């Protein structure tokens, strides 16, 4: 059975879990990273020598880097759906996945850390505003792209929507100023209609969430820590 290694509330793990659920795959989640540890074991180094999450094991095949995993699962289990059959649509999906990693994820994750992961009395409003502006400028480009298509690679939902959908959830749920970006908002609402997105992306938000604490308690009682 497919194994996904990581924490289900970790920003690079969420796209992999969302993908597996969009594809209806059976998998086991191997809690690892953060307080779950395991990354420094010899066994884990065989799965991911970078000692980071996420990683997967599919039979005796191991793979790491979240976008490579999303692509592999989509190609293997979702040809013609998550992985578009049309070469141009596939290239556009790839393009926006790369853009997500290089341009959209960095300012949004920094904004997330500067707000959700920083105690209210330690937050720096100047830095938060600068990051919010930077994130919004980047998202404006995606908004323009979405003006005349329903999803990133055309009219169908594909793997191209997955990393950016995860970034969008954080962008829309941090306490910061956001300009009106109607096409982005409409796309985000379309994603929110998907059960796998609601269940696996629109959830854990910050280490102080009740769900996160319950998971940590559960894993501690099972001796996972
Ligand atoms: N580019 C990598 C980044 C992986 C990464 O930064 N993972 C973080 C968590 S999001 C990690 O392993 N941190 C150590 C830990 O969680 O213990 C990917 O997309 O998979």
């Amino acid at each position: 059975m497919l194994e996904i290694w990581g924490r289900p509330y970790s920003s690079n793990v969420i796209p992999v879990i969302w993908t597996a659920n969009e594809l209806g795959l059976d998998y086991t989640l191997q809690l690892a990273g953060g307080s779950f540890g395991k990354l420094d074991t010899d066994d884990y180094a065989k799965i991911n020598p970078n000692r980071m999450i996420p990683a997967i094991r599919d039979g005796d095949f191991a793979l790491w880097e979240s976008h490579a995993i999303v692509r592999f699962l989509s190609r293997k289990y979702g040809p013609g759906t998550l992985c578009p059959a049309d070469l141009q649509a596939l290239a556009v999906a790839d393009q926006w996945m790369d853009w997500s990693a290089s341009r959209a994820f960095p300012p949004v994750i920094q904004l997330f850390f500067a707000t959700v992961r920083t105690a209210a009395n330690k937050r720096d409003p100047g830095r938060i505003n600068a990051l919010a502006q930077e994130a919004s400028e980047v998202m404006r480009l995606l908004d323009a792209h979405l003006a005349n298509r329903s999803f990133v690679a055309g009219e169908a939902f594909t793997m191209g929507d997955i990393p950016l959908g995860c970034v969008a959830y954080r962008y829309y749920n941090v306490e910061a100023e956001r300009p009106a970006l109607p096409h982005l908002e409409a796309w985000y609402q379309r994603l929110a209609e998907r059960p796998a997105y609601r269940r696996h992306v629109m959830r854990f938000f910050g280490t102080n969430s009740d769900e996160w604490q319950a998971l940590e308690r559960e894993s501690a009682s099972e001796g996972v820590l």
Side-chain angles (χ1 to χ4, degrees):
M1 184 189 292
L2 176 69
E3 290 174 0
I4 299 177
W5 289 72
R7 290 173 280 143
Y9 45 85
S10 178
S11 49
N12 290 300
V13 178
I14 292 168
V16 171
I17 293 179
W18 180 18
T19 304
N21 281 277
E22 284 288 346
L23 292 165
L25 302 180
D26 268 342
Y27 64 91
T28 55
L29 181 63
Q30 303 284 349
L31 291 169
S35 56
F36 299 112
K38 298 187 192 159
L39 305 188
D40 56 0
T41 63
D42 291 345
D43 281 349
Y44 193 72
K46 289 182 197 139
I47 301 174
N48 185 354
N50 288 298
R51 301 186 182 281
M52 298 195 111
I53 50 169
I56 60 162
R57 212 156 39 180
D58 190 21
D60 53 13
F61 175 64
L63 190 66
W64 39 271
E65 278 297 329
S66 58
H67 291 192
I69 298 170
V70 170
R71 288 183 168 106
F72 168 73
L73 294 177
S74 301
R75 287 194 171 107
K76 180 166 179 185
Y77 300 107
T81 57
L82 281 198
C83 179
D86 177 75
L87 262 190
Q88 289 188 7
L90 176 59
V92 171
D94 271 335
Q95 169 191 281
W96 287 97
M97 288 175 76
D98 286 359
W99 181 84
S100 180
S102 64
R103 296 286 284 132
F105 183 88
V108 172
I109 201 72
Q110 286 181 55
L111 182 59
F112 173 74
F113 275 99
T115 52
V116 175
R117 293 281 171 89
T118 301
N121 61 351
K122 299 235 164 82
R123 289 182 194 166
D124 173 349
R127 177 169 153 74
I128 291 172
N129 278 344
L131 285 169
Q133 265 186 28
E134 193 187 336
S136 296
E137 280 318 303
V138 170
M139 294 310 242
R140 203 179 286 286
L141 215 101
L142 180 57
D143 178 67
H145 175 71
L146 290 166
N148 49 11
R149 46 184 71 72
S150 301
F151 294 100
V152 159
E155 287 317 299
F157 174 81
T158 69
M159 65 183 189
D161 296 285
I162 289 183
L164 284 170
C166 298
V167 169
Y169 178 62
R170 274 158 166 53
Y171 176 70
Y172 275 118
N173 288 279
V174 293
E175 276 178 46
E177 294 267 319
R178 276 176 294 274
L181 297 172
H183 312 298
L184 186 79
E185 171 76 30
W187 166 77
Y188 176 60
Q189 294 307 329
R190 281 192 283 280
L191 297 183
E193 287 165 14
R194 307 185 75 83
Y197 186 76
R198 279 205 303 280
R199 175 121 199 262
H200 298 283
V201 184
M202 302 177 88
R203 56 188 300 214
F204 295 110
F205 207 75
T207 50
N208 54 357
S209 78
D210 291 347
E211 202 176 358
W212 183 86
Q213 284 172 6
L215 184 77
E216 294 260 308
R217 275 197 303 276
E218 196 180 306
S219 69
S221 68
E222 286 171 2
V224 173
L225 288 176

